[in-house]
Every structure is written in C-alpha cells, then in structure tokens.
C-alpha cells in the first residue's frame, strides 16, 4: 500500500528496495498493489513488473526515480505557456468575462513519462495470469467527492458507504494513474471514460484516501506493507507566528499524515481485539457483522465487512520519523544548491519553486517545496532515507518475524533543534 506525496515518492522506492530481499527470502512477494497519487505511479510501475523478481522490480523503481527531473513531469515555469497561465489567472481574479485557468501548473509531460515507464498491458497480463491478485489506484470524483478505487482483479466490492469509497473494476490505464495524481488546483482534473459506470472528472486520490489501507484489505490482502510519505510524530521545538504557507503545510499534514497513522492504529487495535477473543466469540462476531450489513449495502459490502475486520492482518509500516524530517532535507538541499544566481543557472524551475514557497525560511516551508522538488540530490536523499528506515524495521524485533500485529514499536528519534518550526 503506497501513499501519496508528490516528489517524496522516491522514499517509497528506497524503502521497498531495502525490504525486497527480506520479503523475497520468505517467499512473500506482494500480489496486491494499491496506490494513491504518487503511490499510484509507483504502484503501477511495480505492478507492470510483478512477473520479475521483486528485488529486480524495486531496483528498477529506484533507477527510474534517479532518472526523473522537472521536465519529465512539468512544463518549465519560465516559459510563454506558463506566463499565459498566470495572465489567465490574473484575468479570472479581475472578473474578465470568459477568463479562467484549469490549474496553476502544466503536468502534460507526465503522461508521456508514465507511458514510457509503465507497460499497462503487462499489468493486465500479470493480473490475468495470476501473478497479481489485484492492482488498484485511488482517485477522487469531483462530482461526488467520493473516493473511487479503480482495480483490476480481486473481488467486486461495489460500494463502501462507511468510508465513502466506490470500487470500479477495470484494466488500469494511464488516465487512472494521472487522475490519482492530479493535485487539486495545482494540476488540471483528468476525465475518465472507463469503466462507463464511473465516467467523469477526477483529481488526487489523497484528498479523501491518501492511505488506501481499507481498499487493500477489501481486495483480499492477508498482510500489508504500508509505505507512508508523511509522519504525524511531532517533537517540541521553538515556536513562532505561523504565516500563510505554514497554514497550507499544516493542512497537508493533517490530510496526509494523520489519516495514515490513524488507519494503522485502527488496524493494530482490531488485531489486538481479535487476538484476545475466543474462537467461539470470533465466530459469533463474524456472523453478526455479515448479518448487520446484508440487505443494507449490497453483497459486496457484506463480504468485505465479514472478511476484513474479523481476521488479523499483520503489517509492515515504514514512514518518516517526524513530520518535518523530509522538509528539513528539502530545505537544506535547496539552500545549498538552488539559491542565488548559481542556483537559478543550475535549474531555473527548482530555483523559482523554492523562491515561491520561501523554502529557506523554515523546515515547514521546505515541506511544501518537497512535494514538487524533483532535484537529483533530493531524490537521492529520499531513497537513502527510505532504505534506512526500512532497514531499521528489519532490524527491530516484531510480533511475527518481519511483521507487526500490535501497535508499531516506538522509535527513538532526536529532538528537533530550536528554530526548525
């Protein structure tokens, strides 16, 4: 299960590359891949290579990230089309009739990059021949604001009214992944044409479901590897009056990090409850769950409610140590490499982006930079960070070898230095 977080997705590749040898040695190659936003891109890449050894596929994901740059995902900021976009936005705010802008940035190069990097027809073959049980990406429907899980393979759950999730069975296409990664406001909405039951305009799946843990279990996962790109852990530090960009970063943290931490905590709590129940009580609870949902939400929801909550789901959970860890990394690289005239000459897009969010001001501003900071040094740092955190998980004692059943073990991390906020 791969969460969203823009350019921070390189962390997922590093973490999985470190986990791959240990999982492969135990014959535990993933057979279900679910991703949101940049996790949808990483997930589709790995799903297309599921017929390869897992170590080979994850190494290829690391190599892919090290080859990506700004122009693989976005049009240059200092260009006539972007100037026209800014003028259109200005005209819209001035209430000029007919003026408007679909998004602040133009990610049109991303489609070509995605189609070159991911063999979507191979995903279909991998599911059809049983190499994968299911591959899925999550997007948000603009018309209903509900999460839609586009999935190939697995059961047909239908609707999940409790979590406002719809499931749409379909072979995955580039449009599904691009929709999952279409950050509202920053990227234009993507129109989905298949399957016909859920056609319409879609945006980033992370708006409602950045941590697609529930879909992974609903699609049949017996254990889950969860890779997050944000942390809800906060350490004490010096405080100052927040500015507007601090507020935006705070909203992102709440939407992306807290949701994931809460989902993992709930999974662990269910596991503990089930472990304490007698076989007869567990059987009765399972029967009751099936009866209570049957007839209200359709057979797909009844099956999911009966199966998923009443079985233990061991997990691996890799995420940054604290909520500003990646922001500090982005800030330091920006300050060292992309400020001043030299930084502008090195990469004008990254330099302009950093100036726009005032990235050298604080680690929180660095957090905002990190979502689009496609600098080679930053990608390398994220890959190393993901590898380090995954290696630590492998070296930590868990409930069942590599797998945790109860809440995650506590991680000791250094306190932030004053001024980091």
């Amino acid at each position: 299960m791969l969460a969203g977080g823009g350019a921070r997705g390189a962390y997922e590749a590093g973490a999985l590359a470190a986990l791959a040898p240990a999982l492969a040695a135990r014959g535990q190659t993933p057979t279900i891949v679910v991703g949101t936003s940049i996790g949808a891109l990483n997930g589709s890449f790995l799903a297309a290579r599921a017929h390869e050894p897992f170590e080979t596929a994850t190494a290829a994901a690391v190599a892919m990230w090290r080859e990506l740059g700004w122009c693989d995902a976005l049009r240059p900021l200092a260009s006539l089309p972007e100037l026209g976009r800014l003028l259109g936005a200005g005209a819209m705010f001035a209430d000029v009739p007919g003026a408007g802008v679909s998004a602040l940035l133009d990610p049109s190069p991303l489609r070509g990059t995605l189609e070159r990097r991911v063999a979507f027809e191979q995903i279909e073959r991998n599911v059809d021949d049983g190499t994968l049980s299911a591959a899925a990406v999550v997007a948000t429907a603009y018309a209903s604001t509900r999460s839609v899980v586009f999935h190939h393979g697995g059961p047909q759950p239908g609707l999940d009214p409790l979590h406002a999730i719809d499931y749409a069975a379909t072979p995955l296409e580039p449009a599904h992944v691009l929709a999952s990664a279409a950050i509202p406001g920053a990227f234009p909405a993507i129109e989905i044409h298949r399957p016909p039951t859920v056609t319409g305009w879609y945006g980033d799946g992370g708006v409602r479901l950045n941590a697609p843990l529930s879909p992974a279990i609903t699609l049949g996962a017996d254990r889950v590897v969860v890779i997050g790109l944000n942390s809800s852990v906060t350490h004490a530090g010096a405080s100052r009056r927040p500015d507007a960009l601090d507020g935006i970063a705070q909203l992102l943290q709440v939407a992306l990090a807290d949701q994931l931490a809460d989902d993992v905590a709930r999974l662990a709590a269910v596991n503990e409850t089930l472990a304490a129940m007698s076989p007869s009580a567990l059987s009765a609870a399972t029967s009751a769950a099936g009866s209570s949902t049957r007839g209200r939400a359709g057979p797909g929801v009844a099956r999911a409610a009966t199966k998923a909550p009443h079985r233990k789901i061991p997990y691996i959970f890799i995420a940054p140590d604290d909520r500003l860890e990646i922001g500090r990394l982005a800030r330091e690289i920006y300050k060292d490499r992309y400020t001043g005239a030299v930084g502008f000459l090195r990469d004008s897009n990254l330099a302009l982006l950093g100036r726009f969010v005032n990235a050298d001001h604080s680690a929180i501003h660095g957090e905002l930079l990190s979502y689009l900071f496609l600098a080679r040094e930053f990608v390398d740092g994220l890959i190393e960070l993901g590898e380090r955190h995954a290696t630590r998980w492998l070296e930590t004692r868990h409930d069942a070898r590599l797998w945790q059943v109860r809440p995650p073990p506590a991680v000791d991390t250094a306190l932030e230095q004053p001024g980091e906020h």
Side-chain angles (χ1 to χ4, degrees):
M1 192 222 81
L2 303 172
R8 301 153 77 103
Y11 176 97
E12 292 176 339
L16 289 172
L19 290 175
L23 291 171
R26 291 163 173 78
Q28 294 175 334
T29 300
T31 58
I32 298 173
V33 181
V34 186
T36 294
S37 195
I38 197 62
L41 190 151
N42 280 336
S44 62
F45 181 90
L46 293 171
R49 291 173 173 265
H51 58 291
E52 302 175 359
F54 190 43
E55 292 176 76
T56 302
T58 55
V62 168
M64 174 192 70
W65 271 100
R66 286 189 164 134
E67 294 168 0
L68 291 180
W70 179 275
C71 291
D72 293 304
L74 296 157
R75 294 289 185 197
L77 291 176
S79 64
L80 289 177
E82 287 304 312
L83 177 60
R85 191 178 301 274
L86 290 175
L87 291 174
M92 180 180 66
F93 284 117
D95 201 23
V96 175
V101 61
S102 62
L104 297 177
L105 299 171
D106 181 359
S108 54
L110 185 58
R111 178 178 286 272
T113 300
L114 180 65
E115 292 175 347
R116 288 192 302 273
R117 298 286 183 173
V118 177
F120 283 87
E121 68 282 357
Q122 186 61 52
I123 299 177
E124 187 171 357
R125 286 194 291 268
N126 287 341
V127 173
D128 291 344
D129 68 14
T131 301
L132 282 176
S133 298
V137 302
V138 182
T140 304
Y142 271 92
S144 66
T145 71
R146 292 172 64 87
S147 297
V148 178
V149 179
F150 297 97
H151 66 100
H152 188 40
Q156 307 299 320
L159 304 178
D160 180 349
L162 179 64
H163 300 98
I165 301 173
D166 299 329
Y167 289 83
T170 178
L172 296 186
E173 300 174 352
H176 299 132
V177 176
L178 293 171
S180 181
I183 304 169
F187 294 175
I190 300 294
E191 188 172 17
I192 298 293
H193 299 285
R194 288 189 288 184
T197 54
V198 291
T199 58
W201 293 93
Y202 285 82
D204 198 313
V207 171
R208 288 193 66 106
L209 194 61
N210 191 55
L213 187 54
S214 175
I217 296 173
T218 299
L219 291 173
D222 292 313
R223 58 184 70 213
V224 290
V225 176
V226 182
I227 310 295
L229 299 177
N230 301 76
S231 174
S232 62
V233 178
T234 303
H235 298 299
S239 62
R240 56 173 176 78
R241 182 177 182 178
D243 59 23
L245 293 175
D246 294 337
I248 295 172
Q250 184 87 337
L251 287 173
L252 284 171
Q253 283 291 334
V254 171
L256 302 182
D258 292 350
Q259 180 191 130
L260 178 58
D262 289 346
D263 281 357
V264 172
R266 279 194 293 269
L267 176 63
V270 170
N271 286 342
E272 285 193 304
T273 299
L274 295 177
M277 293 175 71
S278 66
S280 59
L282 179 59
S283 177
T286 299
S287 299
S291 300
S292 66
T293 55
R294 225 169 263 119
R296 283 193 295 118
V301 176
R303 281 196 301 272
T306 301
K307 184 180 180 185
H310 299 296
R311 57 196 174 96
K312 286 189 289 186
I313 307 290
Y315 65 90
I316 292 172
F317 179 34
I318 311 295
D321 286 339
D322 70 72
R323 73 185 186 98
L324 294 180
E325 185 168 18
I326 290 180
R328 286 193 295 270
L329 175 64
R331 178 194 183 200
E332 291 308 314
I333 290 173
Y334 172 75
K335 288 173 61 178
D336 184 55
R337 301 282 291 171
Y338 296 99
T339 55
V342 174
F344 189 86
L345 292 174
R346 183 170 282 124
D347 192 308
S348 60
N349 296 301
L350 300 178
L352 286 171
L353 178 66
R355 291 177 189 178
F356 180 75
V357 300
N358 196 14
D360 61 353
H361 178 64
S362 69
I364 294 180
H365 285 221
E367 282 283 302
L368 290 178
L369 174 68
S370 72
Y371 290 95
L372 295 174
F373 195 35
L374 284 167
R376 173 62 185 273
E377 303 90 345
F378 183 56
V379 168
D380 286 343
L382 287 172
I383 291 170
E384 189 277 331
L385 193 65
E387 290 174 340
R388 175 152 45 91
H389 291 170
T391 299
R392 184 177 59 204
W393 180 277
L394 294 173
E395 294 173 347
T396 301
R397 187 180 185 87
H398 295 289
D399 298 326
R401 295 179 181 263
L402 302 181
W403 302 89
Q404 189 73 5
V405 176
R406 297 171 296 175
V411 175
D412 292 328
T413 58
L415 295 179
E416 291 179 331
Q417 297 299 314
E420 279 299 303
H421 290 268

